[in-house]
Amino acid sequence: MTFASLGLIEPLLRALETLGYQTPTPVQAQAIPAVLAGRDLMAAAQTGTGKTAGFALPLLQLLTMEGPKVAANSARALILCPTRELAEQVHASVAEYAQHLPLTTYAVYGGVSINPQMMKLRKGVDILVATPGRLIDLFRQNALKLNQLQTLVLDEADRMLDLGFSEELANIYRMLPKKRQTLLFSATFSDDIRLLAGQMLNDPLSIEVSPRNVAANTVKQWVVPVDKKRKAELFVHLMRKGRWKQVLVFAKTRNGVDALVDKLQGLGINADGIHGDKPQATRQRALDRFKASDVQILVATDVAARGLDIEDLPLVVNFDLPIVAEDYIHRIGRTGRAGNTGEAISLVCADEVNMLSAIEMLTRQTLTRKMEPDFEPEHRVPDTDASGQVVKKPKKPKKPKLSGGGGKRNLGKWVDSGDVAPAEPSIKPVRKVPVFNTGPRKKK
Ligand code: AMP
């Protein structure tokens, strides 16, 4: 199959040739004809499958072939993305695909001054890429009207809900013209996403390019059990042993990112961090330097790293497991992209066992465990498998007390350990629901 056989016009084919895209990916093969035919779409596609071109190419074609010229302060197509980085990335791809077309494109997001964005919107833009919060601000300040909107794309819809954008999406929904084409892309499909799709989409065509909730099989994944307090030490050890060159590392919290970056920099390792507390310019600079291999280790929280496309990234390390199991799929999707192979290593301590179990259940696989000599955990990580069960080892029968001994003294490091989890954590089997409900997540 070729892009020409999907019915794409010559200026798009020329752009694809320059980019070196030869064959459509499965999501592109299904999405392009459907979007060109005007259908609404509900697509389950992971990052790295080529989904951006899957919606952007036919969208650009429709905007070129149909519809009136864009009016002042208007947009003809809107692509909503969960984070600033993703908005920038999607916009960069759209602009590349549109390079030979007479269309204008622009990206708006929070964390930067709104005035230049308002100025830029005055003449109107054909394709606007936006994060939900800033889009609403611009709309409320009359810098943007949506009555000319032909197409709405919800990219990474699951993540938008995870980030607490459901209210914003409901507001945006009310701002949209009733007659429009809507394309919804999501790596995973929860009930909430299906509900959103029910409201926003009209007789959508469902596309599923990989089995639901299964991580990319181009990524080799394994787990190294370790005590929490030794994670940083293990990371440095593995890095040196494996001569890692470019690694994207995920930590759970902003403080966790900063602490690891400080530690690595203190050891003379070329590391930088990105998280939601850092100004947008600093985040973008760290990311650009990482992409250019000027930074070797980039440590990030989930919010800052969502959807990033880093060419040929060989390795992702989960310094902490994600609280939401589905984020695991997104994280490891940063590597093994566009047919390349990649590795994803998770450093797992005893009190993360329920998260590990949820990930295994979601991805329907038992992750291989590899013990690293000298780093075997004192606090054993209980066995898990894809059934969602945490297998507790039967307790060893107590040894009879020796007279005169057996006090705390003899327990040595077990008592002095700074780890949070007890030696044999009393863990209940996880619920059969793979997402950890920690309440609404903070919106960035
Ligand atoms: P996405 O899933 O949209 O983030 O795309 C992942 C990566 O695949 C990006 O670097 C794209 O430039 C690349 N890509 C998308 N479609 C193709 C294709 N048909 N052939 C080669 N590379 C592609």
Side-chain angles (χ1 to χ4, degrees), residues 3 21-25 28 47-53 309 337-338:
F3 283 106
Y21 292 13
Q22 285 169 352
T23 326
T25 65
Q28 291 161 3
T47 52
T49 54
K51 66 184 167 71
T52 315
D309 182 23
R337 289 166 80 77

Side-chain angles (χ1 to χ4, degrees), residues 15-35:
L16 294 177
E17 203 177 314
T18 316
L19 291 169
Y21 292 13
Q22 285 169 352
T23 326
T25 65
V27 69
Q28 291 161 3
Q30 293 180 65
I32 291 170
V35 178

Side-chain angles (χ1 to χ4, degrees), residues 31-39 58 62 181:
I32 291 170
V35 178
L36 286 178
R39 290 290 302 264
L62 291 180
Q181 185 177 25

Side-chain angles (χ1 to χ4, degrees), residues 61-203:
Q61 179 152 333
L62 291 180
L63 292 172
T64 307
M65 313 291 284
E66 296 169 8
K69 223 169 144 295
V70 71
N73 292 104
S74 297
R76 295 170 65 205
L78 172 65
I79 303 173
L80 282 178
C81 296
T83 65
R84 306 155 190 181
E85 281 83 4
L86 195 59
E88 272 293 355
Q89 186 175 294
V90 167
H91 177 251
S93 297
V94 171
E96 275 184 326
Y97 304 142
Q99 58 187 283
H100 303 300
L101 295 174
L103 296 173
T104 49
T105 65
Y106 189 49
V108 294
Y109 39 79
V112 293
S113 168
I114 199 168
N115 290 336
Q117 298 179 351
M118 295 171 89
M119 299 272 284
K120 179 82 187 183
L121 287 173
R122 275 192 194 159
K123 281 190 183 161
V125 289
D126 291 294
I127 300 197
L128 183 66
V129 186
T131 51
R134 180 53 58 96
L135 182 90
I136 292 174
D137 283 351
L138 287 162
F139 184 85
R140 294 208 170 129
Q141 299 195 40
N142 293 323
L144 179 69
K145 289 178 277 187
L146 291 174
N147 43 357
Q148 217 191 357
L149 196 85
Q150 288 173 224
T151 310
L152 169 72
V153 181
L154 297 163
D155 193 18
E156 312 241 356
D158 50 346
R159 186 58 173 187
M160 284 199 268
L161 294 189
D162 280 351
L163 291 176
F165 283 133
S166 54
E167 211 173 294
E168 281 84 350
L169 290 180
N171 283 333
I172 292 169
Y173 175 61
R174 285 193 282 274
M175 293 156 22
L176 299 171
K178 288 250 166 340
K179 191 171 168 297
R180 57 161 203 278
Q181 185 177 25
T182 308
L183 317 174
L184 184 148
F185 285 78
S186 186
T188 46
F189 274 91
S190 62
D191 291 343
D192 286 344
I193 290 288
R194 288 177 192 281
L195 198 69
L196 180 78
Q199 289 167 343
M200 294 255 200
L201 304 179
N202 174 25
D203 184 26

